[in-house]
RNA sequence: GGCGCCGUAACCGAGAGGCACAGGUGCGGGAUUGCAAAUCCCGAUACCCGGGUUCGAAUCCCGGCGGCGCCUCCA
């Protein structure tokens, strides 16, 4: 698979079209993804966004690309300061705590760590230097300890402000506001440097004590680690304006390359039962909370079963559906693992034909799988092809109860390999799907085994009411027993 | 109000001129099962509305209606 040469087409927010992904060096993608502002726990909306970029990265890597993945921590900002004040700790303590927590969540979700995760507070000198350059270039001005970016001045020279978010200057102008205490020449100008108020954390700068504005950190850090033009810049759509529009203007003013980002990839937001997650609605679902009920595979399936640009409306039913889908995958894969030890029957014309069509199913579905991903990363369609292979396996196994021919066995194992490979490309943990559940506590594990054996003995004695009582009692504890031909297995509900 | 996205079965969700075989979840019937579960088979239900273009429209165009996002807090 590594030698496959696909043209990868991806919707570009800047041009509003699907375009071939053209990195500046062939098969090397410089990818910057806007990361978290660590002022609170990571929630499932973040998880969706990061899962999408994680899967996209794995897809490219699987095709033999090198992806240089940079994702920042915006570890100083107004929300962090406010939160730290509420909690009575310092901004950096607060940020570090949430960064540590997010890294754990990140791992639990099964995400590849980005190669570089720069913190804003580690880049203050670079940021100050860049702001200085913008002032020298005439793109920025000081006002009472603040430094603002002059959109009008930028627009004069580059003429593309508003292109990314699809707005013209008048429209932006109409909506622009000036906060009390700001000294902008023009309401659409935005802060590069904010003067520190009483009690706020600060860094010394040529313009006095303060901290970076919201957008400059991404310009500075993306350029520092990725150079330019940056091949792909990603985040959720809601960052398109103002964040990315402003970031793009600053970066272009800094390096005078247009476009400084070749491809903007934005994914849709996640809503909860129709509403945007917000503190006032109290409907924020922390990732750690979601991971208590569902495994990383379940969440990943949920996120990838909708096209990345569509909004995703999270509900418990939908989550349960995703969990059931993963169970179907596990079921099929687990069953194939038992194929080698199943009785073999003689090869004949029929079994040979059947195995050929299974091989075809595998080849064709895998092909379509990659094509779907190459066409604007359509994971929803791609997963459909995986499930076609799953159907092929389960149907064959159900139909050939009395035995499989050698070639049929081969074909099933071939499908297993294809499914595993496809799922791995998207970042699923296939090993976890085929691993029976374990109990960490050894004693508890022994008791469980004992209970199952006891129940088997009761069933052998036809003491079904007792056996059923054990099963339903365990059911109340969230443990489901399944009696199959190979014995009884258990799983968590 | 401006800009953008969207409307496909009970639900989720692909498809973008050529028969609605996507796929998943759920539901009904059957097989299997001591009974369940799991699995298999069969089944039901869908292209928001109205015009237009076309031999042919879910798909393209126009107009409605409805929903969502952004419009300086946002992943």
């Amino acid at each position: 698979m590594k030698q496959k040469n696909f043209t990868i087409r991806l919707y570009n927010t800047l041009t509003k079209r699907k375009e071939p992904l053209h990195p500046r060096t062939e098969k090397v993608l410089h990818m910057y993804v806007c990361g978290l502002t660590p002022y609170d726990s990571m929630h499932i909306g973040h998880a969706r966004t990061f899962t999408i970029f994680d899967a996209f990265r794995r897809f490219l890597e699987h095709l033999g690309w090198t992806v240089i993945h940079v994702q920042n921590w915006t570890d100083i900002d107004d929300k962090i300061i406010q939160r730290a004040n509420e909690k009575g700790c310092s901004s950096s303590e607060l940020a570090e705590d949430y960064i540590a927590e997010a890294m754990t969540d990140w791992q639990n979700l099964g995400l590849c760590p980005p190669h570089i995760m720069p913190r804003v507070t580690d880049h203050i000198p670079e940021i100050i230097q860049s702001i200085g350059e913008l002032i020298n270039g005439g793109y920025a001005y000081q006002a009472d300890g603040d430094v603002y970016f002059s959109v009008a001045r930028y627009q004069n020279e580059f003429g593309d402000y508003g292109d990314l978010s699809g707005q013209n200057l008048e429209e932006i102008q109409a909506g622009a506001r000036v906060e009390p205490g700001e000294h902008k020449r023009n309401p659409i100008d935005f802060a590069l440097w904010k003067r520190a108020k009483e009690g706020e954390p600060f860094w010394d700068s040529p313009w006095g004590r303060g901290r970076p504005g919201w957008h400059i950190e991404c310009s500075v850090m993306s350029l520092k680690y990725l150079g330019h033009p940056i091949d792909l810049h990603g985040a959720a759509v809601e960052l398109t304006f103002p964040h990315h529009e402003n970031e793009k203007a600053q970066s272009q003013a800094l390096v005078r390359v247009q476009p400084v980002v070749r491809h903007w990839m934005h994914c849709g937001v996640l809503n909860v039962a129709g509403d945007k997650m917000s503190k006032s609605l109290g409907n924020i679902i922390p990732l750690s909370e979601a991971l208590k009920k569902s495994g990383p595979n379940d969440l990943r399936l949920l996120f990838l079963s909708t096209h990345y640009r569509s909004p995703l409306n999270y509900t418990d039913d939908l989550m349960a559906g995703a969990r059931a889908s993963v169970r179907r995958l596990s079921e099929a894969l687990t069953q194939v693992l038992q194929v080698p030890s199943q009785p073999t029957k003689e090869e004949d014309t029929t079994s040979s034909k059947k195995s050929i069509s299974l091989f075809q199913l595998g080849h064709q579905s895998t092909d379509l799988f990659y094509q779907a991903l190459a066409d604007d990363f359509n994971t929803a369609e791609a997963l459909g092809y995986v499930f076609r292979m799953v159907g092929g396996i389960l149907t064959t196994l159900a139909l050939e109860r009395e035995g499989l021919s050698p070639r049929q066995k081969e074909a099933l194992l071939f499908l297993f390999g294809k499914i595993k490979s496809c799922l791995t490309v998207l970042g699923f943990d296939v090993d976890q799907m085929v691993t029976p559940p374990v109990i960490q506590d050894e004693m508890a594990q022994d008791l469980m085994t004992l209970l199952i054996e006891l129940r088997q003995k009761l069933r052998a004695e036809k003491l079904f009411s007792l056996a059923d009582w054990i099963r339903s009692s365990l059911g109340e504890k969230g443990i489901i027993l399944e009696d199959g031909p190979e014995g009884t297995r258990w799983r968590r509900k």
Side-chain angles (χ1 to χ4, degrees):
Chain A
M1 188 47 55
K2 296 234 186 289
Q3 50 281 77
K4 282 228 168 175
N5 264 314
F6 282 110
T7 302
I8 293 161
R9 294 169 58 78
L10 207 57
Y11 184 88
N12 186 349
T13 310
L14 182 61
T15 55
K16 293 165 184 57
R17 283 197 313 256
K18 279 190 211 174
E19 289 178 347
L21 185 60
H22 263 319
R24 62 184 198 246
T25 308
E26 204 190 335
K27 292 201 167 188
V28 178
L29 189 81
H30 296 82
M31 176 169 93
Y32 188 87
V33 178
C34 281
L36 293 170
T37 301
Y39 69 102
D40 207 341
S41 298
M42 190 170 159
H43 59 61
I44 51 172
H46 302 127
R48 183 198 182 193
T49 300
F50 298 142
T51 299
I52 286 166
F53 287 102
D54 178 79
F56 184 65
R57 169 180 158 188
R58 289 172 193 262
F59 169 55
L60 293 181
E61 286 175 344
H62 187 79
L63 296 179
W65 290 45
T66 301
V67 178
I68 302 163
H69 178 184
V70 177
Q71 183 165 320
N72 64 291
W73 296 108
T74 303
D75 63 342
I76 181 69
D77 113 315
D78 294 358
K79 290 190 295 290
I80 291 177
I81 294 171
Q82 191 193 330
R83 217 44 195 321
N85 286 341
E86 286 165 16
K87 286 199 163 188
C89 61
S90 75
S91 294
S92 66
E93 280 166 2
L94 184 95
E96 288 306 317
D97 281 355
Y98 281 120
I99 287 174
E101 188 190 290
M103 287 310 290
T104 305
D105 285 344
W106 193 273
Q107 212 172 5
N108 290 339
L109 239 197
L111 299 174
C112 292
H115 300 102
I116 304 170
M117 298 189 87
R119 286 165 170 74
V120 178
T121 55
D122 290 335
H123 294 77
I124 302 293
E126 286 100 323
I127 289 171
I128 288 173
Q129 192 193 330
S130 296
I131 294 173
E133 287 169 24
L134 289 172
I135 294 174
N136 290 340
Y139 299 105
Y141 56 90
Q142 300 178 53
D144 196 26
D146 293 335
V147 179
Y148 296 101
F149 187 85
S150 169
V151 173
R153 169 63 223 290
Y154 170 85
Q155 186 65 352
N156 257 345
E157 191 173 330
F158 290 85
D160 66 353
Y161 191 82
D163 284 5
L164 183 63
S165 53
Q167 308 175 88
N168 60 43
L169 262 191
E170 294 77 64
E171 286 163 4
I172 296 170
Q173 198 98 42
R177 292 197 296 267
V178 179
E179 298 294 321
E182 291 186 323
H183 302 279
K184 298 174 177 178
R185 291 182 194 159
N186 187 322
I188 59 176
D189 294 347
F190 52 90
L192 298 172
W193 188 260
K194 294 172 118 170
R195 183 189 44 166
K197 297 192 198 93
E198 191 60 35
E200 288 181 346
F202 61 81
W203 288 264
D204 286 316
S205 84
W207 320 286
R209 294 174 160 182
R211 64 178 182 276
W214 176 28
H215 319 295
I216 190 70
E217 83 285 9
C218 280
S219 289
V220 170
M221 295 192 292
S222 65
L223 291 169
K224 172 173 176 179
Y225 292 105
L226 295 174
H228 56 79
I230 290 158
D231 300 317
L232 184 84
H233 190 127
V237 263
E238 59 192 352
L239 291 186
T240 310
F241 192 88
H243 183 55
H244 289 156
E245 195 72 71
N246 291 347
E247 184 187 329
K248 163 172 163 271
Q250 291 163 20
S251 296
Q252 293 187 164
L254 275 170
V255 298
R256 295 159 183 284
V257 167
Q258 206 177 4
V260 73
V261 171
R262 291 192 170 180
H263 220 109
W264 291 89
M265 180 175 176
H266 288 111
C267 53
V269 290
L270 181 144
N271 295 318
V272 171
D275 295 309
K276 186 154 187 166
M277 277 188 277
S278 71
K279 261 172 275 170
S280 52
L281 284 170
N283 61 351
I284 295 176
I285 302 178
L287 179 56
S288 52
E289 209 56 45
L291 280 169
K292 279 180 196 161
K293 285 189 205 159
S294 311
N297 283 326
D298 304 328
L299 284 165
R300 192 170 280 258
L301 192 121
L302 175 76
F303 297 147
L304 298 181
S305 61
T306 299
H307 187 95
Y308 75 90
R309 282 191 283 123
S310 301
L312 174 61
N313 190 22
Y314 179 94
T315 60
D316 287 341
D317 281 355
L318 206 54
M319 189 66 246
R323 244 178 278 137
S325 302
V326 171
R327 209 184 307 137
R328 184 174 171 78
L329 291 170
S330 313
E331 183 65 29
L333 295 174
T334 308
Q335 285 199 27
V336 180
L337 284 180
Q338 286 149 13
V339 158
S341 57
Q342 277 175 18
T344 306
K345 71 175 186 191
E346 200 127 322
E347 193 74 60
D348 59 24
T349 330
T350 321
S351 66
S352 173
K353 267 189 188 163
K354 283 180 177 170
S355 59
I356 287 171
S357 63
L358 286 180
F359 276 111
Q360 281 173 343
L361 175 71
H363 283 299
Q364 189 199 36
S365 304
T366 313
D367 229 45
L368 291 168
F369 174 86
Y370 284 103
Q371 281 176 34
L373 294 183
D375 182 11
D376 201 18
F377 201 49
N378 195 335
T379 51
E381 188 188 346
L383 281 172
Y385 300 123
V386 173
F387 278 100
R388 282 193 192 180
M389 294 191 273
V390 166
I393 287 176
L394 289 172
T395 301
T396 304
L397 288 172
L399 256 40
E400 312 286 332
R401 276 269 168 244
E402 68 298 339
L404 293 156
S405 78
R407 300 205 56 192
Q408 279 180 308
K409 287 189 169 185
E410 220 179 289
L412 288 173
L413 291 168
F414 170 77
L415 281 178
F416 177 95
K418 288 295 188 192
I419 293 172
K420 180 169 179 174
S421 146
C422 289
L423 290 175
T424 305
V425 168
L426 292 177
F428 288 93
D429 183 346
V430 176
D431 290 337
Q432 196 180 57
M433 288 186 191
V434 296
T435 308
V438 264
I439 305 172
Q440 294 302 328
D441 186 322
E442 203 178 315
M443 169 100 64
Q445 175 68 59
D446 289 348
L447 287 172
M448 172 68 93
T449 309
L450 189 73
L451 211 50
I452 287 173
E453 275 171 21
L454 168 65
R455 188 169 157 274
Q456 290 292 39
K457 288 188 196 298
L458 291 171
R459 290 176 66 212
E461 303 284 330
K462 306 235 184 274
L463 293 169
F464 294 122
S465 65
L466 278 174
D468 289 351
W469 177 82
I470 291 176
R471 185 171 60 198
S472 64
S473 302
L474 285 173
E476 283 164 24
K477 305 228 175 297
I479 290 166
I480 292 174
L481 294 188
E482 295 176 348
D483 299 323
E486 307 87 14
T488 299
R489 60 181 184 175
W490 70 274
R491 63 181 166 86
R492 291 198 171 84
K493 168 62 200 100

